[in-house]
Amino acid sequence: MKNQFDYIDQQILKQLRTDARKAYSQIADELKVSNSLIHQRIKKLTQEGVIKNAEFILDEKKLGYSTKSYTGIRLREARFAKSVMEELSKIEEVVESNFVSGSYAIFVLIFAKNNQHLQKILYDHIHLINGVAGTDTFICFDTGFKRNIPIK
């Protein structure tokens, strides 16, 4: 497929982007195609890595995580990047980690129960990782919107 999606593929992806648990038969009905065609296309999209997995979106606030922050991490030296990333992956509250350009080498998304919990994550875990030179943390007051990339 190599990023070549026809109309049916685009519509399937749009449907799944809205609700990953939507029944294939419902998608087929809405697109006026056969159920087997939907199964074949989704299987192909999955095999090609376009669809990685279906996942639930958890409401962090309802689970008790009231503090959301983005933290930029500076490294002592670039050679520490991979090992720091490996150590960050062991911290459950770090839910996303990216290599970035600019003042920071790594930017992470952290969910904490409260500000004290965030402080503990930063000082008792992240700052103790070999190679971390420092951090800057930005508290997120609220999320205006969040969405997947467009399908064209």
Side-chain angles (χ1 to χ4, degrees), residues 113-125:
K113 301 278 185 181
N114 51 43
N115 289 348
Q116 291 76 27
H117 183 210
L118 176 60
Q119 182 181 17
K120 185 172 177 54
I121 294 165
L122 291 169
Y123 294 152
D124 294 352
H125 297 288

Side-chain angles (χ1 to χ4, degrees), residues 7-19:
Y7 177 79
I8 298 294
D9 292 331
Q10 291 173 4
Q11 294 307 309
I12 290 169
L13 292 171
K14 285 179 181 179
Q15 297 275 336
L16 293 176
R17 183 176 70 169
T18 303
D19 181 2

Side-chain angles (χ1 to χ4, degrees), residues 60-127:
E60 62 274 357
K61 289 179 182 172
K62 289 185 179 178
L63 293 172
Y65 291 86
S66 61
T67 300
K68 176 180 181 178
S69 69
Y70 294 92
T71 298
I73 300 172
R74 291 181 304 281
L75 300 178
R76 287 188 301 178
E77 296 177 30
R79 66 184 174 95
F80 288 107
K82 189 173 180 180
S83 63
V84 168
M85 189 66 79
E86 287 173 12
E87 291 302 310
L88 287 168
S89 73
K90 297 175 186 175
I91 304 169
E92 290 182 337
E93 295 87 352
V94 175
V95 298
E96 183 175 332
S97 185
N98 300 282
F99 292 111
V100 296
S101 62
S103 300
Y104 309 105
I106 298 171
F107 220 74
V108 296
L109 173 58
I110 302 171
F111 284 103
K113 301 278 185 181
N114 51 43
N115 289 348
Q116 291 76 27
H117 183 210
L118 176 60
Q119 182 181 17
K120 185 172 177 54
I121 294 165
L122 291 169
Y123 294 152
D124 294 352
H125 297 288
I126 294 176
H127 281 266

Side-chain angles (χ1 to χ4, degrees), residues 33-48:
V33 296
S34 71
N35 207 5
S36 62
L37 177 65
I38 299 299
H39 280 275
Q40 290 169 358
R41 294 294 185 96
I42 290 175
K43 182 178 179 182
K44 186 176 182 181
L45 290 166
T46 302
Q47 288 173 339
E48 292 184 357

Side-chain angles (χ1 to χ4, degrees), residues 15-24 27 53-56:
Q15 297 275 336
L16 293 176
R17 183 176 70 169
T18 303
D19 181 2
R21 296 185 311 159
K22 193 170 209 175
Y24 292 0
I27 296 171
N53 62 358
E55 58 186 32
F56 292 101

